[in-house]
Amino acid sequence: MAVKVRTARGQVVIEMLLILPVFFTIIFTIMEMGNLAFQMILLNHATFEVARVAAMTRTPPTLGSPNPREDCPDMIPLMKRIIRTADVVCHAEETYRDEQADVKNKDLVVTGNYSVPLIFPISNLLLSEPRGSGHRMSHATVRMPIERPLKR
């Protein structure tokens, strides 16, 4: 006696339609987080390069204006050569007093800001700030000692 097996036609299609959006959301979010990590590494490197150049070319008398954008306006084009839509803000902070040279040392604090465009469709709804904008703001701050020539 043969047993008839009842087939459930279309069950696989329904299960796939229920699971596929969740699967794609997970995959796209993982790929978007990789993109964000890459963009953050790029911003950190660009900010470090701008801080290195600014610390070597700036002297403390040229730093210290009340508006941080006026401290290093010529560093903004340098940052834009590395990342077109990034912005940079610099200011000097006193660190400690050098007793031998009888001067106060300063560090140049450089902050790079970059609005990272998100590229994957579902995950940019989850990861964007503000929601649905398709961008996420990233910030990188680098502190670099200001180089001073030795006085004689």
Side-chain angles (χ1 to χ4, degrees):
M1 181 156 136
V3 177
K4 282 191 172 183
V5 176
R6 219 175 136 193
T7 59
R9 295 182 148 235
Q11 178 182 354
V12 172
V13 173
I14 298 299
E15 288 176 359
M16 185 183 71
L17 288 175
L18 290 174
I19 297 300
L20 208 57
V22 174
F23 176 73
F24 279 141
T25 302
I26 292 169
I27 294 298
F28 286 153
T29 302
I30 290 169
M31 291 168 61
E32 193 72 74
M33 290 178 80
N35 176 46
L36 284 171
F38 171 74
Q39 298 295 336
M40 192 64 203
I41 291 169
L42 182 67
L43 179 64
N44 280 330
H45 179 71
T47 306
F48 176 80
E49 288 299 320
V50 169
R52 185 180 64 82
V53 170
M56 291 174 62
T57 60
R58 297 287 174 271
T59 56
T62 63
L63 293 170
S65 67
N67 185 1
R69 291 204 179 276
E70 294 173 4
D71 270 350
C72 53
D74 54 334
M75 291 298 118
I76 295 171
L78 178 62
M79 177 63 108
K80 292 199 179 289
R81 284 179 59 193
I82 302 170
I83 304 174
R84 264 185 252 159
T85 58
D87 193 19
V88 68
V89 177
C90 309
H91 69 278
E93 287 183 5
E94 290 186 358
T95 54
Y96 61 90
R97 182 165 188 78
D98 186 359
E99 297 299 330
Q100 291 179 342
D102 196 33
V103 293
K104 281 200 169 196
N105 290 326
K106 290 189 177 186
D107 281 353
L108 184 67
V109 180
V110 179
T111 302
N113 304 308
Y114 177 40
S115 179
V116 178
L118 303 177
I119 55 177
F120 293 103
I122 299 170
S123 61
N124 72 16
L125 295 173
L126 302 172
L127 298 174
S128 62
E129 288 179 358
R131 293 268 186 233
S133 67
H135 287 81
R136 185 174 184 94
M137 194 59 139
S138 294
H139 311 280
T141 302
V142 174
R143 178 179 291 270
M144 188 76 61
I146 297 172
E147 300 292 331
R148 292 173 175 250
L150 293 173
K151 294 180 183 177
R152 290 194 178 194

